[in-house]
Amino acid sequence: MGNHRDIALISVSIDLGAGRRGVDMGPSALRIAGISREIEAIGHTVSELGTLTAGGLETTEVGDSELRYLDEVAQVAERTRAAVREGLNRGCTPLVLGGDHSLSIGSVAAVAEHYRPRGGAIGVIWVDAHSDMNRPRTSPSGNIHGMSLAVLLGRGEPRLTRGRASVRAENVSVLGARDLDRGEKRLIGELGVRVFTMSEIDERGVGPCMDEALERANAGTAGFHLSFDLDALDPRIAPGVGTPVRGGLTYREGHLVCEKASRSGRLLSLELVELNPVLDDRNQTAELGVGLVASALGATIL
């Protein structure tokens, strides 16, 4: 039994930031897989802060092809920010269920804002097959979910960055990357974000890589936010994701990442994103996601 936490559960049903339909149904699949029950079984309390729903693809303006659905994505990020702030103000640990990765633009901003007046920066560990560090002019697709980490670092569309960075590059790591665009590689180098690629994880082991990511996330910060994109996992165990890429983290590696996040005692908030039940096989990816969240919140084998 881990230390008791009040968990503020927030669902964000959005797939407009992604190129493929279906991840807006991710939160429902996680609830069907018993996420609240699982969290309570560890000894935490779950407070429902509700579901934020984006406009439907059919009725929403696409707008600029470099920033598809910008208006609606910006609005959902803003509503996510307000919900996460509310959870933090109540003294809860926010757990955000997604939805596509554009929701992080709101969630991480909220955590950063909450700790800033207390003099603390926050760290971010971004577990993802992608670095999500495109900008409108470098993005091959114009899908905003591939820009969210750049936005949080203060780069990209001003309507999304709102003129400031939420996190500093020296406190940010991407874990599990295996599909980076040219413009992203340039920005990674320029800002000094640490990217642990799958080949580095293969060579060194996920444990040492996660330890290093934790060290960065906790250096001079109030703690860190864990943003877990299920496409970081190998599609053979997690087929139900927005943008699958072969050769990802195994079941055990995914759990070790989450257990280490928990054991660090510095986890401020977390989110699980890009679950696409339409592509899933008997809700197995959702069930795996529930298990990962449980590990991050202190469920242990022994």
Side-chain angles (χ1 to χ4, degrees):
M1 298 297 247
N3 295 342
H4 173 270
R5 289 181 187 243
D6 284 317
I7 306 294
L9 194 59
I10 300 157
S11 291
V12 184
S13 290
I14 181 171
D15 66 1
L16 298 175
R20 187 187 236 166
R21 307 299 311 278
V23 292
D24 59 323
M25 296 185 258
S28 304
L30 290 162
R31 287 167 188 283
I32 290 165
I35 194 153
S36 300
R37 197 177 54 240
E38 201 64 35
I39 294 167
E40 284 173 343
I42 306 166
H44 303 308
T45 314
V46 176
S47 306
E48 287 283 355
L49 288 198
T51 298
L52 312 177
T53 310
L57 204 81
E58 296 73 17
T59 53
T60 308
E61 271 306 302
V62 176
D64 183 350
S65 67
E66 278 194 351
L67 281 153
R68 298 174 67 244
Y69 303 104
L70 172 62
D71 289 349
E72 188 67 14
V73 169
Q75 207 187 5
V76 172
E78 194 44 52
R79 287 161 60 207
T80 303
R81 190 172 73 93
V84 172
R85 285 290 313 250
E86 160 81 0
L88 289 163
N89 290 338
R90 292 189 192 179
C92 298
T93 299
L95 165 59
V96 184
L97 310 178
D100 73 64
H101 224 153
S102 69
L103 63 84
S104 302
I105 292 168
S107 58
V108 178
V111 185
E113 275 162 19
H114 181 79
Y115 288 94
R116 197 174 287 133
R118 300 166 176 71
I122 65 161
V124 168
I125 299 181
W126 198 266
V127 184
D128 201 323
H130 311 88
S131 69
D132 296 345
M133 282 181 65
N134 270 303
R135 285 155 295 170
R137 64 173 189 282
T138 67
S139 169
S141 66
N143 295 327
I144 296 174
H145 72 166
M147 306 179 195
S148 29
L149 189 51
V151 165
L152 292 168
L153 289 156
R155 299 303 179 93
E157 168 57 35
R159 282 195 45 201
L160 297 172
T161 60
R162 299 179 15 260
R164 73 174 313 160
S166 291
V167 284
R168 298 189 302 235
E170 63 262 31
N171 299 132
V172 175
S173 300
V174 177
L175 195 73
R178 51 196 189 279
D179 183 12
L180 303 175
D181 297 316
R182 216 179 24 239
E184 290 182 292
K185 291 179 192 173
R186 257 204 316 276
L187 188 59
I188 288 163
E190 186 190 317
L191 295 179
V193 167
R194 181 69 163 92
V195 177
F196 297 91
T197 61
M198 278 312 299
S199 39
E200 182 175 352
I201 289 170
D202 286 339
E203 195 141 314
R204 294 179 56 201
V206 80
C209 292
M210 182 60 178
D211 287 341
E212 203 179 308
L214 283 164
E215 221 165 285
R216 284 176 69 89
N218 292 321
T221 66
F224 71 96
H225 172 89
L226 178 65
S227 190
F228 202 115
D229 184 325
L230 286 160
D231 74 21
L233 302 165
D234 195 279
R236 285 174 305 186
I237 59 162
V241 297
T243 42
V245 185
R246 288 170 62 173
L249 298 171
T250 64
Y251 177 90
R252 298 205 316 253
E253 288 173 326
H255 274 280
L256 184 59
V257 165
C258 291
E259 281 174 28
K260 280 183 170 287
S262 170
R263 287 206 298 265
S264 73
R266 308 267 300 172
L267 181 66
L268 302 172
S269 50
L270 74 157
E271 64 208 358
L272 194 67
V273 303
E274 297 281 349
L275 171 61
N276 191 337
V278 175
L279 303 173
D280 205 2
D281 180 15
R282 299 185 299 274
N283 221 27
Q284 69 168 331
T285 308
E287 284 168 11
L288 176 55
V290 167
L292 291 168
V293 167
S295 283
L297 294 176
T300 51
I301 296 167
L302 189 60

